[in-house]
Amino acid sequence: MSQKIQSVKGMNDLLPVEQKDFKLTAAFWQAFENTVQKWAARYGYRQIRTPIVEQTGLFVRSIGEETDVVGKEMYTFADSNDRLSLSLRPEGTASCLRAVVEHGLTHEAPQKLWYMGPMFRRERPQKGRYRQFHQVGVEALGFEPAQIDAEIIAMCADLWRELGISEFLQLEINSLGNREERAAHRAALVDYLRRHEAALDEDSRRRMDTNPLRVLDTKNPDLQAIADNAPRLADYLGEESRRYYREFKDLLDGLGIAYRENHRLVRGLDYYNHTVFEWGTDKLGAQATVCGGGRYDGLMAELGGKDTPSIGFAMGVERLLLLVREHGCLNADAAPAVFVMQQGEGAVLQAMKYAAALREADWDVLQFSGSAKLQKQFKHADKSGARFALIVAEQELENQEVTIKDLRGTHGQTTVPAAKMIEQFKLWSE
């Protein structure tokens, strides 16, 4: 017997049923996708879909060559002619903006775009963090005022309410200022870290010269005091950046959205400026962040487009759905509405016709396949989770009737003329 080939570690199959080590089902996922599509449309966002493979240079230029994502986590390989370096996308913003610039989408009007799809990072798999993971991303391109910053926060809050998880998520915000202000802070921060270099761990020493802001975001408890006493970016913000940040916070206050200011919140990618934010939870262990984003006003120009004020966010679908599954609410009932069973000569064809009529009337129908006693078919009906059973046996065929049984409710069983079948289903479903 040939040896089984298993999936790649950190890349999960999505099955109709729960797995031992991966509890999300395809039906639960589909219910979330349907919710997201309606939610994005309510705010005027249109969907964009981009390839999962891009030129490596796109991510080097946008995310930053010295970031952990580009330096350590990307899946990168040479094209077949060895002339081009390609990478599986590790995040969605760069791909979305590449498409916007390439096709000139912002030439005539600002754009509100959203996407959903797989991303890839080579890292240690753990609960809520996988090598192939999925994100829902939202990008608002060409909108300048702090109003759009507050709107996308409100947009997130609306989704959390719809999913029943508002009480389990905490919003943290910060301002990273502009390029010049970040440069001044970076110089002071590097000087400070050099004075404490002996106490830093290996990751922090590596980041000290390449991405020193990430040192402030360390999870190492031994470095918390050093991070707490480091120069704060807020102290280097000019009046214009402070005004922008105040206006943003005033809008959140006016909308009744609670938040906590975290001056160590920096996000992991180089392209952010001004507003940054994260929604986190203490219900998923160490992997607390389920959604994060911020402004990236200079990124469009960096990718060859016009200088365009922009803001966006991405949420980790696996983490979010784990939270919803345990603490929220999402209607993911994949059971058919009607289970059709048949017995007797000619019953199969007639039952198929009834099933077709029900489907045409927008009912989800599962028909038993094969020949078995009705008692066995009822066991299959019960296991399917169907609300109703439709029975077509010899007596029903002879009298042009159908028998309908309520498998989950209180209506019991009745026999009606076949012409009244759909009417009876509607009556019992009210």
Side-chain angles (χ1 to χ4, degrees):
M1 179 182 294
S2 298
Q3 185 176 2
K4 291 182 180 179
I5 298 178
Q6 297 184 325
S7 62
V8 177
K9 186 177 181 180
M11 299 185 180
N12 297 297
D13 297 312
L14 200 58
L15 304 181
V17 295
E18 289 187 1
Q19 303 172 57
K20 181 179 179 181
D21 54 353
F22 190 70
K23 300 298 184 180
L24 302 180
T25 66
F28 201 71
W29 201 281
Q30 182 65 58
F32 175 71
E33 288 179 340
N34 294 339
T35 299
V36 165
Q37 288 175 356
K38 295 174 183 177
W39 161 75
R42 288 200 298 268
Y43 279 83
Y45 284 80
R46 299 183 298 169
Q47 190 175 26
I48 184 171
R49 302 189 184 195
T50 59
I52 63 171
V53 176
E54 299 275 7
Q55 294 188 42
T56 302
L58 171 65
F59 304 115
V60 171
R61 193 186 302 182
S62 60
I63 299 174
E65 188 170 10
E66 303 298 337
T67 61
D68 286 351
V69 173
V70 171
K72 296 167 51 178
E73 297 173 359
M74 284 206 309
Y75 286 95
T76 297
F77 53 94
D79 197 5
S80 58
N81 59 15
D82 291 333
R83 295 179 182 177
L84 199 60
S85 178
L86 303 178
S87 294
L88 298 178
R89 62 186 183 192
E91 58 97 42
T93 297
S95 293
C96 180
L97 264 62
R98 188 269 309 150
V100 167
V101 171
E102 182 174 342
H103 301 289
L105 294 186
T106 56
H107 287 347
E108 296 183 2
Q111 296 286 325
K112 286 185 170 182
L113 304 171
W114 77 275
Y115 51 84
M116 180 175 182
M119 312 292 164
F120 302 85
R121 296 186 189 181
R122 185 189 292 111
E123 54 185 350
R124 184 171 64 87
Q126 51 192 292
K127 182 179 180 181
R129 183 187 289 271
Y130 307 103
R131 289 176 176 175
Q132 175 179 302
F133 58 100
H134 296 74
Q135 288 184 342
V136 169
V138 163
E139 315 292 353
L141 312 173
F143 300 89
E144 283 203 48
Q147 174 185 338
I148 193 66
D149 299 28
E151 181 184 283
I152 69 169
I153 297 290
M155 185 179 181
C156 291
D158 278 353
L159 183 60
W160 309 153
R161 281 191 290 271
E162 189 167 353
L163 296 174
I165 54 174
S166 296
E167 64 182 292
F168 305 108
L169 288 166
Q170 168 71 50
L171 172 64
E172 293 189 344
I173 65 171
N174 193 19
S175 174
L176 301 184
N178 60 34
R179 186 185 300 269
E180 292 74 22
E181 292 157 356
R182 290 197 305 279
H185 171 254
R186 177 189 175 110
L189 178 59
V190 171
D191 182 65
Y192 169 82
L193 293 175
R194 287 200 184 285
R195 298 199 302 271
H196 296 82
E197 185 171 0
L200 298 179
D201 59 22
E202 183 180 347
D203 267 353
S204 296
R205 285 195 294 272
R206 176 176 55 82
R207 289 169 170 165
M208 184 170 57
D209 291 312
T210 60
N211 197 1
L213 279 177
R214 294 292 288 160
V215 178
L216 303 182
D217 199 30
T218 179
K219 301 300 187 292
N220 186 341
D222 296 333
L223 300 182
Q224 295 306 305
I226 293 176
D228 289 340
N229 294 317
R232 298 198 319 171
L233 181 52
D235 297 330
Y236 291 80
L237 299 183
E239 183 52 39
E240 181 62 23
S241 293
R242 293 174 186 271
R243 181 202 61 77
Y244 191 112
Y245 191 39
R246 283 197 303 270
E247 183 180 349
F248 167 59
K249 290 189 291 183
D250 287 345
L251 289 171
L252 293 184
D253 292 336
L255 292 170
I257 298 175
Y259 60 85
R260 183 175 77 88
E261 291 187 76
N262 178 1
H263 296 292
R264 288 167 51 181
L265 176 61
V266 297
R267 303 293 293 148
L269 309 179
D270 278 358
Y271 51 60
Y272 286 113
N273 65 291
H274 288 296
T275 304
V276 290
F277 63 90
E278 288 184 353
W279 292 89
T281 182
D282 60 1
K283 300 298 182 182
L284 295 177
Q287 303 305 324
T289 302
V290 300
C291 176
R295 278 210 159 265
Y296 47 88
D297 293 333
L299 184 54
M300 193 84 81
E302 187 69 28
L303 298 179
K306 296 191 301 183
D307 214 5
T308 305
S310 307
I311 187 170
F313 64 82
M315 60 186 72
V317 176
E318 284 87 350
R319 291 185 193 177
L320 184 60
L321 289 186
L322 286 171
L323 184 63
V324 174
R325 181 183 175 277
E326 296 297 327
H327 303 284
C329 57
L330 182 62
N331 183 13
D333 185 8
V338 182
F339 188 95
V340 177
M341 57 184 72
Q342 65 277 326
Q343 183 173 277
E345 186 177 351
V348 170
L349 178 58
Q350 190 58 58
M352 291 181 73
K353 290 180 178 180
Y354 291 151
L358 284 167
R359 293 185 184 112
E360 189 174 346
D362 205 30
W363 290 76
D364 295 336
V365 179
L366 178 61
Q367 183 174 359
F368 182 80
S369 180
S371 58
K373 292 182 178 180
L374 287 179
Q375 183 178 5
K376 182 176 181 180
Q377 293 187 46
F378 268 114
K379 291 181 179 179
H380 283 276
D382 188 61
K383 190 174 182 180
S384 76
R387 167 73 190 279
F388 302 110
L390 178 69
I391 305 159
V392 184
E394 294 176 1
Q395 185 173 343
E396 284 83 6
L397 282 171
E398 182 179 345
N399 298 328
Q400 295 185 342
E401 296 175 331
V402 293
T403 297
I404 299 173
K405 184 177 178 63
D406 187 349
L407 299 173
R408 313 291 168 189
T410 59
H411 295 293
Q413 180 173 307
T414 188
T415 300
V416 299
K420 299 285 187 180
M421 173 183 67
I422 293 176
E423 181 181 331
Q424 186 65 41
F425 275 123
K426 288 181 179 178
L427 178 65
W428 277 10
S429 297
E430 291 176 354

